[in-house]
Amino acid sequence: MLTSRVPAAVDGLLAVLRAAPGLADVTVVDGPPALNLTDRRLLFVGWQPGGETAVSLAQTFNGAGARTRDETFQIAGYIEVRAGDKDMQARRREVFAILGEIETALRATTEAPEAPTLGGAVLWAHLTAGDLSQAQAEGSIAGLAFTVTCQARI
């Protein structure tokens, strides 16, 4: 018996993001970072710095009779861009441009009608939160922790 749509939704989100033309030059990572990542434009699915939770979920019965359940969950994500210069404005604009590409990738289009459902894994998915961080350390770094909230029926 199916107990959660979380695994299929995370896989679907990764597939949608990896197929998005606007994210072709961004490295999409499943889960936490590995050591020695040298890419300057990274997008993590199921991980945020300092966070222990990849996905947070809650379920309730859909209605009387307890035949189906509604599941709501939030998938953690993080975007990081870095460069060797001190141009924080450029990093900030770049990280929000990537966030915009994520939002675009989650919208239904003629080419990707199933994008908001993450390939049929959920009823819908959308961006719902974000937190910007910035640092100067051997160059400029901007990070944006974001949340994709999903609604599913199981």
Side-chain angles (χ1 to χ4, degrees), residues 28-67:
V28 178
V29 180
D30 184 356
L35 297 176
N36 300 322
L37 283 177
T38 57
D39 295 336
R40 300 212 176 242
R41 295 167 51 92
L42 297 160
L43 187 142
F44 299 92
V45 174
W47 179 79
Q48 292 176 344
E52 298 291 325
T53 303
V55 179
S56 177
L57 66 107
Q59 295 181 357
T60 60
F61 285 112
N62 175 356
R67 293 179 187 263

Side-chain angles (χ1 to χ4, degrees), residues 10 53 62-63 69 75 90-91 99 103-104 114 119 127:
V10 172
T53 303
N62 175 356
R69 295 177 61 78
I75 302 171
R91 300 301 79 69
L99 184 69
E103 186 174 12
T104 299
E114 295 289 317
L127 281 171

Side-chain angles (χ1 to χ4, degrees), residues 98-104 106 125-130 146-149:
I98 293 171
L99 184 69
E101 292 297 335
I102 295 168
E103 186 174 12
T104 299
L106 289 173
H126 59 118
L127 281 171
T128 55
F146 66 92
T147 302
V148 173
T149 298

Side-chain angles (χ1 to χ4, degrees), residues 92-118:
R92 189 170 43 249
R93 287 180 178 173
E94 192 175 1
V95 81
F96 274 96
I98 293 171
L99 184 69
E101 292 297 335
I102 295 168
E103 186 174 12
T104 299
L106 289 173
R107 292 184 182 170
T109 63
T110 303
E111 296 80 25
E114 295 289 317
T117 68
L118 304 178

